[in-house]
Amino acid sequence: MADLESPDDEAARHREKMQKRKAVQDARVAQATREKGLLMVHTGPGKGKTTAALGMMLRTAGYGLRVGFIQFVKGNWATGEQTALTRFSDLIDHHVMGEGFTWDTQDKERDIAAAVRAWELGRRMLADPQYHLVVLDEINIVLRYGYLDVAEVLAGLNARLHDTHVLVTGRNAKPEIIEAADLVTEFQAVKHPFQAGIKAQRGIDF
């Protein structure tokens, strides 16, 4: 019968394994020397894309850096983030530019006009050196519907200042946007309370 590994041997084996892993990780960190403004994408059918963007905005503001936040779809209904962000109005510029969901507005021309206005503001933010991070919330949705030209938007994103980070959110991100991005996170839907007839919850969904 083989001898069982002693606690000291197990600890030594674990320590050796972690030392090797640390060496690999340190080498990777040492190789990452470039700095640039990132193009980031939150997409996919799962919940949490805007919520994650809000966390990144809070992190940026925590360093005293300015954020531009444009919501392309959400209308002027009360949300928890809208109220909370007023407390950071010196660092986060929040603009609700949408007319609401397309099935609510039922007016394509009005939706297109709202998208164009929001994008013009976004372009100005991307060219403004005071913004460290610009979040274009749910712009992927208006691109999917063809309310904005993807080539024009991509050109605007690529023309941003070198050190400006930009995050675009919304399901069904265009392949051109994904290809150009530095970071893409796809949110998957595994289970959602709405499927069980549970309504949207204050503080969780809005």
Side-chain angles (χ1 to χ4, degrees):
M1 182 175 178
D3 293 335
L4 295 176
E5 186 176 45
S6 71
D8 288 344
D9 290 340
E10 182 179 1
R13 187 167 56 83
H14 175 77
R15 185 165 51 253
E16 182 181 359
K17 181 180 179 181
M18 291 302 104
Q19 287 172 347
K20 291 178 179 178
R21 182 174 295 179
K22 183 178 186 304
V24 171
Q25 185 63 25
D26 287 348
R28 289 176 177 172
V29 171
Q31 291 173 357
T33 58
R34 293 175 56 209
E35 289 189 24
K36 60 164 288 191
L38 301 177
L39 170 55
M40 300 167 286
V41 179
H42 287 178
T43 193
K47 173 179 167 54
K49 295 177 287 292
T50 298
T51 303
L54 288 164
M56 190 179 295
M57 289 163 50
L58 182 62
R59 176 180 291 160
T60 299
Y63 286 101
L65 300 168
R66 196 163 195 83
V67 179
F69 180 35
I70 301 173
Q71 294 189 283
F72 276 73
V73 174
K74 292 182 175 69
N76 285 308
W77 62 83
T79 62
E81 63 262 29
Q82 191 170 2
T83 303
L85 289 177
T86 60
R87 303 186 182 188
F88 299 92
S89 58
D90 59 325
L91 290 172
I92 299 176
D93 294 331
H94 180 202
H95 300 270
V96 180
M97 305 289 288
E99 298 280 355
F101 296 112
T102 54
W103 57 82
D104 287 327
T105 63
Q106 302 176 17
D107 188 332
K108 183 176 180 179
E109 293 306 314
R110 197 173 91 188
D111 291 337
I112 291 173
V116 169
R117 287 194 301 271
W119 172 236
E120 285 303 315
L121 177 58
R123 289 182 65 175
R124 292 197 297 273
M125 285 183 171
L126 291 170
D128 190 333
Q130 72 173 316
Y131 292 106
H132 184 78
L133 169 67
V134 176
V135 177
L136 306 176
D137 186 45
E138 294 184 329
I139 191 174
N140 290 337
I141 293 175
V142 299
L143 286 170
R144 177 194 177 196
Y145 288 139
Y147 295 170
L148 295 173
D149 179 71
V150 65
E152 179 184 337
V153 169
L154 188 56
L157 295 174
N158 289 334
R160 71 189 185 280
L161 298 177
H162 177 74
D163 56 353
T164 298
H165 302 291
V166 57
L167 171 60
V168 302
T169 78
R171 60 179 61 198
N172 300 117
K174 288 286 188 179
E176 298 94 325
I177 301 293
I178 291 175
E179 177 65 24
D182 300 289
L183 171 67
V184 180
T185 302
E186 186 172 12
F187 291 67
Q188 291 298 327
V190 177
K191 196 172 185 179
H192 198 292
F194 187 69
Q195 297 168 338
I198 301 172
K199 69 178 185 179
Q201 305 287 311
R202 183 176 62 177
I204 304 301
D205 297 289
F206 63 90

